[in-house]
Amino acid sequence: MDEVDGVLSGAAPVDVEVGALLAVLGGQRRHVLGILDGLDEEALRRPVLPSGWSCLGLVQHLALDVERFWFQAVFAGDAEVIESLAGTGDAWQVGEGEGVDAGAVLERYRVEARIADRLAAGGVADAPLAWWPGHFEGEQHLHTLRDLLLHVITETACHAGHLDAARELIDGRRWLVLT
């Protein structure tokens, strides 16, 4: 798969349907990064809603709880990633005092997306999932790479919309305005 805005990379998908789904997911990822373009460190860390989440926290959630979790743990069954899940803490919280700058969080999202793309590109749409997190996801409701890709597309698109609203609250900028 060709690199687009530093997000997608790797070999072309072996399955046409997987390739089409990855292209849609790539568009949502570009939206996530694009709506944040130009925000400084303070704005990215600013709590936007009463719940206290920030744009940076949402991107870290997408990197760890979505890209890493669904592709590396659930689809690929990576034992190291699965083992690390218990100690990851709340991905929505990005500690200022921990030396984590905004650029590192945004780059982590790009890296996790590239890893996810490589894993998915090697599979077929009907490929079964390697692991299911029944202890907190309950009964298995996703069964194939297709199901997982559709789930991640939906979650990423939903969060891109959250970031649209947050950006407008921060400085009035809107992602796409049709007149």
Side-chain angles (χ1 to χ4, degrees):
M1 184 162 275
D2 295 329
E3 188 161 328
V4 179
D5 292 338
V7 177
L8 304 176
S9 67
V14 297
D15 184 286
V16 173
E17 183 180 357
V18 169
L21 291 168
L22 284 173
V24 172
L25 179 55
Q28 294 306 316
R29 290 172 177 153
R30 286 188 299 280
H31 184 158
V32 165
L33 295 170
I35 192 61
L36 300 178
D37 189 45
L39 287 178
D40 63 19
E41 182 97 18
E42 178 195 352
L44 286 167
R45 290 181 178 279
R46 181 183 310 146
V48 187
L49 297 176
S51 63
W53 70 259
S54 67
C55 294
L56 199 58
L58 193 150
V59 172
Q60 183 166 272
H61 160 70
L62 285 169
L64 301 177
D65 298 339
V66 179
E67 300 287 349
R68 186 171 198 260
F69 174 79
W70 287 108
F71 290 97
Q72 292 180 56
V74 176
F75 177 62
D78 184 314
E80 187 176 315
V81 172
I82 293 167
E83 182 69 27
S84 74
L85 293 174
T88 56
D90 184 1
W92 287 85
Q93 302 302 315
V94 181
E96 288 184 54
E98 300 169 14
V100 179
D101 71 338
V105 173
L106 295 172
E107 182 58 23
R108 176 74 185 264
Y109 179 58
R110 290 180 185 98
V111 167
E112 296 297 341
R114 284 192 295 267
I115 293 168
D117 285 343
R118 277 194 304 274
L119 290 169
V124 295
D126 290 326
L129 305 178
W131 177 73
W132 185 254
H135 57 288
F136 62 87
E137 281 289 327
E139 185 176 329
Q140 187 165 353
H141 56 276
L142 305 176
H143 301 280
T144 65
L145 176 57
R146 174 189 301 108
D147 296 341
L148 185 146
L149 282 163
L150 290 169
H151 174 80
V152 171
I153 289 166
T154 301
E155 186 163 359
T156 305
C158 179
H159 286 319
H162 294 144
L163 290 170
D164 282 340
R167 180 66 188 253
E168 190 168 353
L169 290 169
I170 291 169
D171 68 1
R173 180 174 172 228
R174 294 181 284 165
W175 176 251
L176 178 65
V177 179
L178 300 175
T179 58

